[in-house]
């Protein structure tokens, strides 16, 4: 049994049923029944058109369930208009499924879970392990999401920007449990890029590839964080970098700049530098200016302050930082870094310790604590 084939076909089959009028929850139940039947039948006789076979079986299972329910009369039109069996094209249907799973009525966490379940083909158990929550909790979250979108018709073009935000959320969850969500996000974004000719989709894919290329160098053998400036760049994935840059250049050539393209351009400049000292910080500041214009995000302005500190000196960076709200996440850590570069080691050490106390991520907390200890040691404290 080719499990990879079944997994790749599942979202398209589900989308066909939803497009034909099945509500989301009932459609998924029917598709799961069809998959079970495929596991039983295919080893003996693989169909010539696997997707068409799954669509036919799933639709029949849906109709059987529909007839058995008290609401049969409400769905009689669906029964009477059963489409003929045959090859099914999944391109537009799968795209619509992306839009459905990223529907604005869903919370971000629910949209992510539903996307992984319906489009990614992951089991509820796998998603729960990835998010480090009980399987029952994740099952409830997915069930609520399915109920929310059950009445949504796939008769309009969805919002690409919402889909991209959901995929970026998946990517930023990183790796935990037995599912690599970074790799899953890249796979799903590639799939979306095959279906949508949009420069921001390409921009997000490029951004993911460029960030993922540095993954092996981000952690030390003891699990500690390794800052970008200290990473062993020989461990970066040059093939992923080359692919990301090529995709980004093609997107930028269309002259429809968006925030993911701008972020990818910054990541590409970091990837292009053979050493930290060779980083083109002036151009990075220019891209942060573009990104600020596009998003007006305080987090972007915070990262821009770091870049300004590298391009124009730490005091210029501190001046840019002074314009921002001190309650921003990582504000204290950035201040510590800039004060260290400015030579004020006592203040930098105090700020590193304060930032460590505020950090919610254990690896980040350990890194900031070590930074404070390093400066205190230099001062003989």
């Amino acid at each position: 049994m080719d499990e990879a084939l079944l997994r790749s076909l599942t979202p398209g089959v589900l989308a066909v049923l939803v497009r034909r009028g099945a509500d989301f929850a009932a459609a998924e139940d029917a598709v799961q029944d069809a998959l079970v039947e495929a596991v039983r039948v295919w080893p003996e006789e693989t169909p010539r058109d696997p997707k068409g076979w799954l669509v036919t079986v799933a639709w029949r299972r849906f109709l059987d369930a529909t007839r058995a329910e008290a609401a049969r009369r409400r769905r009689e039109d669906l029964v009477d208009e059963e489409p003929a069996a045959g090859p099914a094209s999944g391109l537009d249907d799968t795209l619509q499924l992306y839009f459905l799973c990223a529907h604005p009525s869903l919370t971000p966490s629910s949209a992510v879970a539903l996307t992984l379940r319906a489009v990614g083909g992951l089991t509820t158990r796998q998603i729960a392990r990835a998010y480090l929550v009980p399987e029952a909790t994740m099952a409830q979250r997915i069930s609520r999401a399915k109920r929310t979108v059950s009445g949504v018709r796939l008769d309009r073009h969805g919002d690409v920007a919402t889909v991209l935000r959901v995929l970026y959320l998946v990517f930023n969850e990183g790796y935990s449990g037995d599912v690599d969500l970074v790799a899953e996000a890249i796979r799903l974004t590639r799939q979306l890029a095959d279906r949508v000719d949009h420069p921001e989709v390409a921009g997000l894919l490029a951004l993911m590839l460029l960030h993922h290329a540095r993954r092996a160098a981000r952690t030390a053998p003891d699990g500690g964080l390794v800052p970008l400036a200290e990473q062993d760049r020989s461990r970066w994935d040059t093939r992923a970098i080359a692919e990301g840059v090529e995709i980004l250049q093609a997107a930028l050539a269309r002259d429809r700049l968006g925030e993911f393209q701008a972020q990818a351009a910054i990541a590409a400049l970091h990837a292009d530098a053979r050493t930290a000292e060779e980083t083109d910080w002036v151009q990075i500041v220019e891209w942060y200016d573009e990104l600020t214009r596009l998003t007006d995000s305080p987090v972007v302005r915070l990262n821009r302050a770091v870049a300004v500190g590298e391009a124009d000196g730490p005091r210029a960076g501190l001046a840019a930082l002074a314009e921002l709200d001190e309650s921003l996440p990582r504000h204290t850590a950035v201040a510590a870094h800039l004060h260290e570069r400015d030579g004020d080691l006592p203040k930098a050490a105090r700020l590193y310790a304060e930032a460590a106390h505020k950090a919610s991520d254990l690896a980040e907390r350990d890194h900031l604590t070590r930074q404070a200890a390093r400066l205190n040691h230099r001062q003989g404290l």
Side-chain angles (χ1 to χ4, degrees):
M1 172 58 59
D2 189 343
E3 293 184 8
L5 174 62
L6 279 180
R7 183 176 172 186
S8 67
L9 294 175
T10 297
V13 176
L14 176 58
V16 170
L17 267 65
V18 173
R19 177 172 55 79
R20 289 180 178 179
D23 69 75
F24 192 96
E28 192 186 37
D29 289 342
V31 172
Q32 293 302 315
D33 287 344
L35 294 175
V36 170
E37 185 69 6
V39 171
R40 186 182 70 82
V41 172
W42 286 13
E44 299 294 331
E45 184 179 357
T46 303
R48 183 175 303 175
D49 177 16
K51 182 179 178 182
W53 188 96
L54 287 170
V55 168
T56 299
V57 173
W59 184 251
R60 287 173 179 167
R61 293 299 172 91
F62 166 71
L63 293 179
D64 289 343
T66 298
R67 293 187 183 103
E69 293 176 356
R72 179 181 60 82
R73 293 181 181 177
R74 185 167 55 87
R75 297 190 174 110
E76 281 181 350
D77 289 341
L78 295 177
V79 177
D80 294 338
E81 298 171 8
E82 177 180 352
S89 171
L91 200 67
D92 291 339
D93 294 320
T94 303
L95 176 59
Q96 290 292 73
L97 193 59
Y98 272 95
F99 294 135
L100 183 64
C101 292
H103 196 268
S105 61
L106 295 172
T107 64
S109 62
S110 294
V112 166
L114 193 59
T115 298
L116 291 172
R117 182 76 175 88
V119 185
L122 300 183
T123 66
T124 303
R125 176 174 296 180
Q126 287 175 316
I127 301 170
R129 286 179 176 174
Y131 281 89
L132 304 177
V133 299
E135 185 176 352
T137 300
M138 184 56 67
Q140 291 176 351
R141 183 180 301 173
I142 294 173
S143 293
R144 286 195 298 269
K146 288 193 290 187
R147 287 196 298 270
T148 299
V149 300
S150 285
V152 176
R153 301 285 297 184
L154 291 178
D155 55 358
R156 294 183 182 178
H157 191 70
D159 181 14
V160 172
T162 303
V163 175
L164 295 182
R165 283 194 293 272
V166 169
L167 291 174
Y168 197 39
L169 285 172
V170 175
F171 181 82
N172 285 327
E173 288 297 332
Y175 176 84
S176 58
D178 60 352
V179 178
D180 187 342
L181 291 180
V182 169
E184 186 64 20
I186 292 173
R187 184 182 75 83
L188 293 177
T189 306
R190 283 190 191 279
Q191 186 184 76
L192 183 64
D194 289 339
R195 288 160 168 79
V196 178
D197 183 22
H198 194 295
E200 272 294 82
V201 177
L204 178 59
L205 179 57
L207 177 64
M208 289 179 174
L209 290 168
L210 290 164
H211 278 321
H212 190 46
R214 302 200 299 262
R215 177 172 177 171
R218 282 200 185 102
T219 53
D222 63 359
L225 292 178
V226 180
L228 177 61
E230 300 173 20
Q231 288 177 14
D232 179 358
R233 300 186 178 215
S234 67
R235 300 183 66 196
W236 289 1
D237 185 343
T238 54
R239 291 181 62 183
I241 290 172
E243 182 186 5
V245 169
E246 182 180 0
I247 292 171
L248 173 63
Q249 288 175 338
L252 291 175
R254 300 177 65 176
D255 199 24
R256 290 169 55 195
L257 184 64
E259 61 179 291
F260 290 120
Q261 294 170 75
Q263 288 187 59
I266 293 168
L269 286 167
H270 283 299
D272 187 54
R274 290 177 297 177
T275 65
E277 292 73 25
E278 295 178 58
T279 303
D280 189 346
W281 286 106
V282 172
Q283 194 172 167
I284 287 176
V285 171
E286 292 174 355
W287 276 110
Y288 270 121
D289 289 340
E290 290 286 351
L291 194 53
T292 300
R293 180 182 61 79
L294 289 166
T295 67
D296 196 28
S297 163
V299 174
V300 170
R301 293 180 183 275
L302 183 69
N303 291 329
R304 179 184 177 278
V306 176
V308 169
E310 297 292 340
D312 301 328
R315 298 202 175 179
L318 286 168
L321 187 66
E323 300 175 2
L324 303 175
D325 187 342
E326 294 184 3
S327 66
L328 273 174
R330 294 185 59 248
H331 185 285
T332 306
V334 169
H337 168 74
L338 291 171
H339 278 293
E340 179 184 358
R341 290 203 61 231
D342 194 38
D344 191 345
L345 301 190
K347 187 168 187 177
R350 178 177 59 78
L351 288 171
Y352 275 130
E354 183 181 333
H357 181 72
K358 294 177 179 178
S360 57
D361 180 78
L362 181 60
E364 183 180 2
R365 186 185 312 155
D366 289 344
H367 170 70
L368 292 168
T369 300
R370 285 195 295 269
Q371 294 293 81
R374 173 180 58 82
L375 293 187
N376 285 329
H377 178 73
R378 284 179 59 182
Q379 299 174 78
L381 301 178

